[in-house]
Amino acid sequence: MGATAATGCSRVASGNALDRLRSQGTVRLGIAGEVPYGYVDEQGEFTGEAPELAKVVFQRLGIGRVQPVATDFASLIPGLNSQQFDVVSAGMYINKERCAQVIFSDPEYQMLDSFIVRKGNPKNLRSYEDVVRTGARIATGSGYAQIDHAVAAGYPEKDIVILQDQVAGLNAVESGRVDAFVTTALTTREVVRKSRKAEATAPFAAVVDGKKKIDGGGFAFRPTDTELRDAFNAEIHAMKKSGELFRILRPFGFTQAEMTTLTAEELCR
């Protein structure tokens, strides 16, 4: 996309997404209702690391309001590309398949996987290999990267139970319908916090193509919106350097171990 003129009318007419959003004063943020990334709290308010981080970054980019729009995880990228949202952030891992459909900011965090299991972890599930070995019944969410992680370990995709979200996953484990619900380590430890029947396993790295995989999550943008993505990236890099990024993410359960120097380019390979 070419350079933009200096005047306000010309800037909006150029089609540059950043200029358009500045003119509108609102950015629509696609989220998937997953704790702690983006969800509705007990007071009925949108919160989570993604909305709170987005508020700070977009304010600095001259866009005063972030409007979260909740949908199911599998609909996020199609919704972004059909312009239902302007940007997506929902605990979405950056991977090669998704990079063919959208462009990502550099990740604000890195993450391992974890299981929600019954108290005491009766099947001793600590990896996907354990799930395959024991024939345990597992569930995850629609479109989650953990589907590919399980399949890479040899678990039949047709046998994976797909549930609406992590709360449904917790309920399925507590009721004995499945032996484990798998998602990001941060989500599992937050979801089981008040459960008397379930616990989260220690974080582990999935093994894909013979290599341990550490994933990173970032904001997704339409492929044409490179200026918006680049401006967002500049703010994220500055916040990493100052420590402000961790201060925003820490209230949602993130630790220093989840801060990262990974880049979207690395994760897209």
Side-chain angles (χ1 to χ4, degrees):
M1 202 170 289
T4 55
T7 62
C9 292
S10 298
R11 287 166 65 89
V12 174
S14 73
N16 181 306
L18 178 56
D19 296 331
R20 174 176 53 79
L21 293 174
R22 283 172 173 160
S23 176
Q24 293 174 353
T26 298
V27 57
R28 296 166 300 165
L29 175 68
I31 64 172
E34 182 173 0
V35 176
Y37 303 102
Y39 59 99
V40 178
D41 65 16
E42 294 176 354
Q43 287 72 46
E45 300 294 329
F46 281 109
T47 187
E49 67 89 13
E52 298 308 323
L53 178 57
K55 288 174 188 176
V56 174
V57 173
F58 286 112
Q59 181 75 41
R60 290 176 185 171
L61 294 179
I63 305 163
R65 180 170 178 259
V66 173
Q67 178 186 346
V69 182
T71 187
D72 63 281
F73 192 91
S75 298
L76 287 167
I77 287 179
L80 175 65
N81 283 327
S82 65
Q83 302 191 37
Q84 294 176 42
F85 332 112
D86 302 301
V87 60
V88 158
S89 183
M92 182 175 285
Y93 285 169
I94 302 167
N95 60 35
K96 187 175 181 179
E97 180 182 359
R98 290 170 181 157
C99 292
Q101 304 173 72
V102 297
I103 57 174
F104 283 96
S105 66
D106 286 332
E108 68 262 25
Y109 61 84
Q110 64 185 29
M111 194 65 64
L112 299 177
D113 290 354
S114 172
F115 297 125
I116 297 174
V117 295
R118 295 275 292 186
K119 285 281 190 184
N121 195 1
K123 288 187 176 289
N124 198 26
L125 303 177
R126 305 189 186 281
S127 68
Y128 291 107
E129 290 72 24
D130 290 340
V131 169
V132 173
R133 176 179 51 80
T134 61
R137 298 162 299 166
I138 64 167
T140 191
S142 177
Y144 282 24
Q146 286 76 22
I147 297 172
D148 293 335
H149 294 173
V151 171
Y155 197 90
E157 184 171 355
K158 65 180 178 58
D159 292 342
I160 300 172
V161 177
I162 302 300
L163 298 174
Q164 180 179 352
D165 55 28
Q166 73 282 355
V167 176
L170 174 65
N171 292 338
V173 171
E174 289 182 334
S175 68
R177 189 155 68 91
V178 298
D179 298 305
F181 181 85
V182 59
T183 181
T184 68
L186 182 56
T187 295
T188 62
R189 66 179 182 245
E190 290 297 308
V191 170
V192 303
R193 194 178 295 276
K194 297 180 180 179
S195 175
R196 296 181 178 181
K197 295 181 179 180
E199 63 183 53
T201 65
F204 62 89
V207 177
V208 178
D209 296 329
K211 297 180 181 179
K212 287 189 175 182
K213 194 172 189 330
I214 298 177
D215 290 290
F219 283 64
F221 303 81
R222 282 187 286 274
T224 53
D225 293 347
T226 53
E227 296 94 339
L228 178 60
R229 189 276 312 273
D230 292 347
F232 189 95
N233 250 353
E235 295 297 334
I236 289 291
H237 292 165
M239 294 169 76
K240 286 183 178 182
K241 187 174 181 180
S242 69
E244 184 181 10
L245 178 63
F246 179 58
R247 291 194 293 274
I248 292 173
L249 269 56
R250 182 169 53 188
F252 298 99
F254 289 80
T255 69
Q256 281 287 1
E258 276 117 24
M259 298 299 97
T260 187
T261 57
L262 288 168
T263 66
E265 182 180 1
E266 291 175 278
L267 294 167
C268 283
R269 290 175 190 157

